Amino acid sequence: MSADFDNAAITYDQDFTYSGIGILQRERVWKNLSKHLEHKGKMKILELNCGTGEDAGKLAIDGNNVVATDISEEMLLVARKKNQHLDIKFQQLDLNNIDQSNLDSDFDLVFSNFGGLNCIDPAAIAKVGEKLSQILKPGGKFIAVIMPKACLWENIYLILKGKWDQVFRRSEEVVEVNVSGKIVNTWYYDPQNFSKLIGHQYIKEDLKPIGFFIPPSYMESFFKRKRMLLKCLNALEKMFSNFSFQARFSDHYYIAFKKT
């Protein structure tokens, strides 16, 4: 799987991180995440699927002790270069084999952003939940941003494109998704299903939509010419961000757990 994301590493920031849609979606994630950074500057944090290290850098700048992991060595190379002035430990990690990893313990927070966990199957999600219960402190937080089985924006987009056979693709057991020219198997998880998979060791504390009004990033080229419309959609996203039922129909959702 590593090579699947190696191809995306060079252009990932350009295609998503610093795109208009990418910036707005990340702002919503951080608006929610900041509530759980109770000991700002003093937390031991593990990031799963860190990509090019955008979130790891922000967490480290705030003074936290950050271990950032990803399956792609190319992603990690970009992340190291981008954050070379910060004290971040980068480590290659295949989430399919997380139960065999030698990760540290006593983390205050484990964070996974923008659908990284959608790239592993339900059995692997269960292994992630079990492993994190071993390395999180009592009361520690596990926070993830996941793609659900339905996205209203995506349904409308595919209908308008006349791609009727793809309208409900997220509801399929596994979907082949093109990532920078590579086909990657992708699993979509509704909040209730995801909560069951990670296990009974956690209590769900928070659930918020990410991208109910803000569109998916693959629509960036369309909205690049309609910045005022995107600004209005972002205002609606902020206004209705506390309606957790929207999480099941958004591009992503933010879900936070506390270890019991």
Side-chain angles (χ1 to χ4, degrees):
M1 187 189 292
S2 176
D4 296 338
F5 295 95
D6 286 348
N7 281 15
I10 296 175
T11 61
Y12 183 81
D13 281 342
Q14 174 186 326
D15 295 341
F16 178 68
T17 306
Y18 304 135
S19 68
I21 290 173
I23 289 170
L24 293 180
Q25 287 206 8
R26 195 179 299 273
E27 283 178 355
R28 301 315 306 159
V29 171
W30 272 87
K31 175 69 173 178
N32 293 305
L33 181 62
S34 62
K35 302 172 187 176
H36 296 272
L37 299 175
E38 298 174 356
H39 308 292
K40 188 175 180 181
K42 298 179 181 179
M43 298 181 73
K44 184 178 179 182
I45 300 174
L46 170 67
E47 184 179 9
L48 307 178
N49 51 273
C50 69
T52 59
E54 187 71 15
D55 294 311
K58 184 170 176 58
L59 289 166
I61 286 173
D62 287 343
N64 296 294
N65 178 3
V66 180
V67 178
T69 68
D70 200 279
I71 191 173
S72 167
E73 184 57 40
E74 291 299 319
M75 285 286 192
L76 290 172
L77 286 173
V78 175
R80 288 187 182 100
K81 184 176 181 180
K82 188 160 71 173
N83 296 288
Q84 56 188 316
H85 60 294
L86 295 171
D87 185 17
I88 302 172
K89 179 182 177 182
F90 289 101
Q91 180 178 335
Q92 191 169 26
L93 175 66
D94 183 351
L95 293 179
N96 287 294
N97 302 315
I98 193 172
D99 55 328
Q100 302 169 28
S101 64
N102 58 348
L103 292 166
D104 292 338
S105 58
D106 295 327
F107 284 99
D108 298 291
L109 170 68
V110 177
F111 178 55
S112 173
N113 207 357
F114 291 127
L117 292 174
N118 289 96
C119 298
I120 58 176
D121 64 24
I125 294 289
K127 286 196 292 186
V128 167
E130 179 62 31
K131 181 67 175 183
L132 298 189
S133 72
Q134 299 169 11
I135 64 176
L136 273 169
K137 290 180 178 178
K141 306 294 180 68
F142 170 37
I143 297 174
V145 179
I146 307 294
M147 293 183 288
K149 282 185 170 291
C151 172
L152 289 183
W153 262 114
E154 185 167 288
N155 294 155
I156 294 168
Y157 173 80
L158 292 172
I159 288 172
L160 292 176
K161 285 286 187 178
K163 298 181 178 180
W164 298 95
D165 59 327
Q166 299 182 38
V167 171
F168 300 107
R169 68 187 183 99
R170 288 196 183 198
S171 63
E172 297 176 12
E173 183 178 353
V174 59
V175 181
E176 293 184 340
V177 176
N178 189 314
V179 178
S180 298
K182 292 282 187 178
I183 299 300
V184 177
N185 285 338
T186 303
W187 292 262
Y188 295 92
Y189 301 102
D190 282 337
Q192 185 177 9
N193 181 229
F194 185 79
S195 299
K196 288 180 179 179
L197 286 170
I198 68 158
H200 61 277
Q201 307 95 324
Y202 308 91
I203 297 172
K204 186 177 72 175
E205 286 196 327
D206 204 0
L207 176 65
K208 295 289 191 298
I210 303 293
F212 184 81
F213 291 99
I214 300 172
S217 60
Y218 54 75
M219 299 181 70
E220 175 69 20
S221 60
F222 174 82
F223 281 94
K224 189 174 287 187
R225 301 185 297 272
K226 296 175 175 59
R227 289 305 184 195
M228 186 54 67
L229 175 57
L230 188 59
K231 185 176 180 179
C232 291
L233 292 170
N234 187 46
L236 289 170
E237 185 92 12
K238 292 179 179 179
M239 190 180 303
F240 296 102
S241 62
N242 288 323
F243 290 88
S244 59
F245 76 89
Q246 295 176 355
R248 294 181 63 246
F249 307 104
S250 299
D251 187 31
H252 296 81
Y253 61 85
Y254 168 100
I255 190 164
F257 299 93
K258 181 178 180 179
K259 177 185 171 183
T260 56

